Amino acid sequence: MKLYVTPTSPYGRLAIIAMHDKGLSERIKLVWTQTRQLDDPLLSVNPSGRLPFLLLGDGTGMEDTDLIVDYFDALAPPRTYGIPNGEEHWPFRRFEATARSLLDGGSVWAREIKRPSGEQSPGIIDHERRRAIRLAGYFETVIGEGVFNGDLNKPQLLLYCALDLERRIPDFGWRAGCPNLLKWFERLGNLPVIRASLPPGSA
Ligand SMILES: N[C@@H](CCC(=O)N[C@@H](CS)C(=O)NCC(=O)O)C(=O)O
C-alpha cells in the first residue's frame, strides 16, 4: 500500500500518526508529493487530487482522512478508533466535530497565506484567525475531559493536527493564552507515534 501525503498537510500528518499508532509502517510506503500540480502522477489514481490518498495493492484507493483512519483501524485489530457507546458517545462526537472545525478552518487560513500576497483575502484571513483563536480558547476550557486524556482517538488526533498548524501560520499564537492546552499538546507531541509522523528533516 502507498500513502500519498505532503510534508505540510495536517490531514496527511493525521493519517501518518494513525499509521504508526496502528503499527502499519512496515506495510505502507509513504509517498511525499505536492498537490495542485498539473502533471501530478497522483491524478491518474485519484481524480480529486486531494491528499491524503491511500493506494491499495489492487489499484483501487481511497481519499479522506476519516476513511483512511478507519481502514487502518480495521486492518490492525483490535479497533481503537471507534466511537464509544454509552455516556461517552455524544461528548466524543461533539468534540470530534469541533476539533475538525478547527482543523478545517485552520487549513483554509494556512492555504490563504500561502497565496501570492496580491491574491490573499484579508477578510478570509481575519475570519479564520478569529475562529481559530476562539476555538483554541474553547479547547483550553475542556481539555481536562476524559476524551482528551485516554488512548489516542480521533478527537485528539484532529485537535493535535489543528494546533500543529502553528508551524505553518505564524499568527496562530494560541500558546500564550492556553496553558492547559499547551501541556496537553506537548504531552502528545512527545509520544513516539507522533514524533515518528514528522516529515523527514523536521524532527
Ligand atoms: N476532508 C479531506 C480534506 C483533505 C484536504 O483538503 N487536503 C488538502 C491538503 S491539506 C488537499 O489535498 N489539497 C489539494 C487540493 O485542494 O487540490 C480529508 O479529511 O482528507
Side-chain angles (χ1 to χ4, degrees):
M1 282 175 286
K2 289 181 180 172
L3 181 62
Y4 290 78
V5 286
T6 66
T8 53
S9 167
Y11 301 97
R13 177 102 195 264
L14 197 158
I16 298 170
I17 297 172
M19 175 191 83
H20 286 295
D21 190 36
K22 297 301 296 192
L24 291 168
S25 54
E26 300 292 314
R27 294 169 66 181
I28 296 168
K29 181 178 160 34
L30 288 183
V31 182
W32 298 99
T33 181
Q34 229 187 337
T35 54
R36 303 185 183 209
Q37 305 298 306
L38 292 178
D39 57 351
D40 186 350
L42 172 71
L43 296 175
S44 61
V45 283
N46 178 20
S48 86
R50 285 189 202 278
L51 301 174
F53 180 76
L54 182 69
L55 182 63
L56 305 181
D58 65 2
T60 63
M62 54 185 90
E63 67 168 299
D64 194 74
T65 315
D66 202 41
L67 177 61
I68 292 171
V69 170
D70 282 347
Y71 189 77
F72 288 167
D73 208 19
L75 270 185
R79 290 221 182 210
T80 53
Y81 286 119
I83 301 173
N85 293 317
E87 273 182 21
E88 294 169 55
H89 182 85
W90 292 111
F92 185 100
R93 293 197 59 192
R94 218 160 37 76
F95 288 132
E96 179 177 355
T98 310
R100 181 171 289 111
S101 185
L102 178 55
L103 179 58
D104 289 346
S107 299
V108 170
W109 185 7
R111 217 168 283 151
E112 195 61 29
I113 59 172
K114 222 172 103 184
R115 286 149 61 90
S117 57
E119 292 177 20
Q120 293 179 14
S121 159
I124 290 178
I125 291 172
D126 199 45
H127 181 65
E128 295 304 344
R129 184 183 58 75
R130 287 169 189 275
R131 190 204 316 272
I133 293 301
R134 272 196 318 271
L135 283 171
Y138 166 73
F139 281 113
E140 168 71 8
T141 66
V142 296
I143 201 63
E145 302 263 343
V147 170
F148 298 108
N149 292 289
D151 293 339
L152 278 185
N153 56 27
K154 283 185 186 169
Q156 292 184 66
L157 293 182
L158 287 160
L159 181 57
Y160 184 85
C161 292
L163 294 171
D164 185 52
L165 279 166
E166 67 178 358
R167 290 189 299 124
R168 284 178 61 192
I169 309 173
D171 287 345
F172 187 19
W174 60 267
R175 290 178 174 240
C178 301
N180 298 320
L181 197 55
L182 179 56
K183 220 161 119 192
W184 173 87
F185 183 78
E186 288 183 335
R187 180 174 63 75
L188 255 68
N190 280 322
L191 296 177
V193 293
I194 293 200
R195 291 166 81 99
S197 69
L198 277 165
S202 58

